[in-house]
Amino acid sequence: MTARTSGPLCAQLAEILAAARPALPPGRFAAAVGAVADRLADTRLRIAVGGRVKAGKSTLINALVGQKVAATAAVECTMVVAWFRHSHQNRIEVRHVDGRVTTVASRPGGGVPDEFGELGVPREQVRELVVHVVNERLDTDYTIIDTPGMDSLSGLDDVAMAALAEADALIYVMPHPGEGDVAALEALRRKANGALTAANVLGVLSRIDLLGDGISDPWPLATQLATTYSAKLRGLIATTVPVAGLLAQTAVGDGFGEADAQLVARLADADPADLAEALRSARNLREWHSCPIGADERERLSRLLSRYGIRCAVAAARRGVSGAQPLLDELRRSSGVDELNRLVFSTLVASADRLRASSALARIDLAGAAATTEAERDVYEALRARLAEVRRHPRMRQAELTTALVDLATHRLSLEAADEQALVRLATGADDRECLGLAADADPGALVAAADAQVRRWRRLEGSPLRVVARHARTAREVCETIYFHSATGSGA
């Protein structure tokens, strides 16, 4: 399969840059513009995965791509930036701190080796890894950037921040969400000059199998926690999705085979009370001497499934599900990975054209600082005039609501619940209908009417005595007016 084509915004940007580049004299400005053009030529969305130390980022990456490509046990391997990209051949580029690049073999099947030493380079000499993988999802949908874990902002070094700056979107992983994650996300947003908001950040509650007492269903508590933190982090993340990360990695990978399915079948013959007691803790499971499978076999199932996954697999076997693939299908549904993928696509990939265009425009603005000669400044001013056409598109006008999302997240902006929901929809929707809360098949007349109604909503709020409310309401009203005229002229998305 081939990568998706550029959307209209990125295609227009690429055309503008292509027209400008011949007039540029060699230098830093020309190199910076060329880098943006090269970035636009790669049509895949760049998604960074971040979070605190031992949040489960690597496990989540494996679940996203359906293949074990990220090292999950080797601590050294998780402390460097790793780019996961599609290729026709599995290999790893090791980018050294001195600028050298060496190529080494990947682990069997593709991905980062379990031990850093297998790369043949001391950890302190490695700047980042580029992991080339034969993987369909990486071919057609996105490139993944795995960033080092952090316990505080000091845990993000310059290389990690540079990698985040190259990303179009972020998946933020939280095993047990708390105030530390609120602070970390806010610090990330500041470091990224406000570019990380609910418009391009998705939260993941990554280890729901560890919630509760180990016996009862963790999903009610996980769903409640996800809802709570979606509200607590409003403005900073689009939403939070709960996932049993280890179970998801196994359910979509190739590590669970028929021999493992047979182990599950034998466990299903155990006394239900004995099994329930054994699954209360890792220690109980290890010391279950009357278990129908051996200690090493129990350990293997624990590494693949977790105790929660073992319970789900045994329950499925007792319902008559047998064989590796049918069991994996059941485990996939129990892991939450389907909803994770749905949200990644609906929240991030579906908005790839806008997110990539926003990143490109931001990098062009930064490149402007390198325009020091009169000829470069002339080209830059001409570029800015052409880029203004792109910025007027309704999808790009959404970027002007980024500061409103930040003010929501930091409680500087307070709105009624319905107005807050309307603002977040307007700032994060993938198309005009979604921005206005309409069904995907809503007709143009309904689209125009909804845009007009939203113009009236925000014009009313412009009269607020609170300056922060009035300012953001004016921006929201202007975005809705852009959608209105864009739709009324027959070019609505």
Side-chain angles (χ1 to χ4, degrees):
M1 298 180 67
T2 57
R4 61 180 65 223
T5 58
S6 286
L9 294 170
C10 288
Q12 187 177 2
L13 280 174
E15 181 182 336
I16 291 171
L17 294 183
R21 291 179 72 178
L24 281 173
R28 289 176 54 236
F29 181 53
V33 171
V36 178
D38 292 343
R39 168 68 185 92
L40 286 169
D42 179 359
T43 58
R44 300 170 189 84
L45 188 71
R46 292 183 178 182
I47 303 178
V49 177
R52 299 167 74 187
V53 171
K54 296 184 178 179
K57 300 184 297 299
S58 298
T59 300
L60 188 81
I61 288 171
N62 295 335
L64 280 171
V65 304
Q67 183 180 346
K68 190 174 181 183
V69 295
T72 56
V75 174
E76 280 191 307
C77 289
T78 63
M79 295 306 293
V80 296
V81 172
W83 293 69
F84 294 92
R85 293 175 171 165
H86 169 77
S87 178
H88 68 286
Q89 178 190 66
N90 293 323
R91 66 189 188 281
I92 300 173
E93 287 181 22
V94 182
R95 296 185 174 176
H96 300 245
V97 293
D98 63 5
R100 291 183 300 119
V101 177
T102 56
T103 302
V104 300
S106 62
R107 61 176 292 154
V112 181
D114 289 329
E115 297 295 334
F116 198 90
E118 295 181 45
L119 297 174
V121 185
R123 161 68 187 88
E124 61 273 12
Q125 294 182 17
V126 177
R127 181 174 183 272
E128 63 184 11
L129 304 176
V130 181
V131 186
H132 298 269
V133 185
V134 180
N135 182 280
E136 183 176 296
R137 188 157 290 174
L138 293 173
D139 181 20
T140 59
D141 300 319
Y142 43 66
T143 290
I144 293 284
I145 310 169
D146 189 6
T147 62
M150 55 182 176
D151 281 324
S152 65
L153 186 58
S154 62
L156 279 180
D157 58 17
D158 291 341
V159 173
M161 283 309 306
L164 282 169
E166 288 294 310
D168 305 308
L170 170 68
I171 296 176
Y172 187 79
V173 185
M174 303 170 280
H176 306 292
E179 290 302 321
D181 290 297
V182 178
L185 269 169
E186 178 57 29
L188 281 173
R189 184 195 64 76
R190 289 195 302 269
K191 276 284 190 178
N193 297 317
L196 297 174
T197 68
N200 61 349
V201 180
L202 180 65
V204 174
L205 182 62
S206 61
R207 291 180 178 166
I208 68 159
D209 50 302
L210 300 182
L211 297 175
D213 57 9
I215 296 298
S216 56
D217 182 3
W219 277 98
L221 178 56
T223 302
Q224 179 184 345
L225 271 176
T227 300
T228 298
Y229 270 83
S230 291
K232 192 177 186 67
L233 297 168
R234 74 187 192 278
L236 285 174
I237 62 171
T239 189
T240 301
V241 55
V243 178
L246 180 61
L247 187 59
Q249 174 184 266
T250 296
V252 299
D254 57 5
F256 185 95
E258 291 299 336
D260 301 303
Q262 287 299 316
L263 294 179
V264 171
R266 288 162 58 192
L267 273 183
D269 290 333
D271 180 87
D274 289 346
L275 177 63
E277 182 61 28
L279 291 177
R280 282 187 180 275
S281 69
R283 178 179 178 178
N284 284 6
L285 187 59
R286 283 195 308 270
E287 297 180 356
W288 184 15
H289 301 303
S290 62
C291 180
I293 66 174
D296 289 345
E297 294 168 327
R298 296 196 299 276
E299 176 62 23
R300 173 174 171 79
L301 287 183
S302 293
R303 289 197 308 269
L304 285 172
L305 305 177
S306 76
R307 286 177 288 124
Y308 165 68
I310 292 173
R311 189 165 71 249
C312 293
V314 168
R318 287 173 174 167
R319 294 195 304 270
V321 178
S322 63
Q325 192 54 55
L327 274 175
L328 287 173
D329 291 341
E330 290 284 331
L331 296 177
R332 192 194 74 247
R333 287 187 282 270
S334 299
S335 72
V337 70
D338 289 343
E339 179 64 6
L340 169 64
N341 276 312
R342 186 192 71 78
L343 281 171
V344 168
F345 277 80
S346 64
T347 305
L348 303 179
V349 177
S351 301
D353 188 37
R354 172 173 58 85
L355 296 178
R356 293 179 60 243
S358 294
S359 296
L361 286 169
R363 284 191 284 270
I364 294 169
D365 289 340
L366 289 174
T372 55
T373 69
E374 183 176 353
E376 289 174 334
R377 286 193 293 269
D378 287 345
V379 173
Y380 180 55
E381 289 306 315
L383 256 182
R384 290 183 62 185
R386 291 290 312 277
L387 295 176
E389 304 170 17
V390 181
R391 295 182 194 274
R392 284 194 292 270
H393 191 281
R395 293 289 68 71
M396 297 310 303
R397 292 298 305 272
Q398 285 177 288
E400 297 173 29
L401 290 170
T402 297
T403 55
L405 295 178
V406 173
D407 283 345
L408 273 179
T410 54
H411 308 291
R412 289 190 292 267
L413 174 62
S414 179
L415 297 171
E416 295 292 332
D419 294 329
E420 181 180 306
Q421 291 168 4
L423 180 64
V424 172
R425 272 199 310 268
L426 188 61
T428 62
D431 56 39
D432 290 347
R433 289 169 177 80
E434 193 172 306
C435 284
L436 300 175
L438 296 176
D441 59 354
D443 62 49
L447 186 59
V448 170
D452 184 59
Q454 290 298 309
V455 168
R456 296 173 187 272
R457 173 201 288 269
W458 297 114
R459 186 174 293 283
R460 172 177 55 82
L461 287 172
E462 278 186 80
S464 171
L466 299 175
R467 290 181 62 186
V468 66
V469 174
R471 183 175 76 254
H472 292 313
R474 180 173 63 253
T475 303
R477 186 255 304 165
E478 291 173 352
V479 172
C480 291
E481 286 177 344
T482 301
I483 294 175
Y484 176 92
F485 288 108
H486 192 241
S487 304
T489 57
S491 56

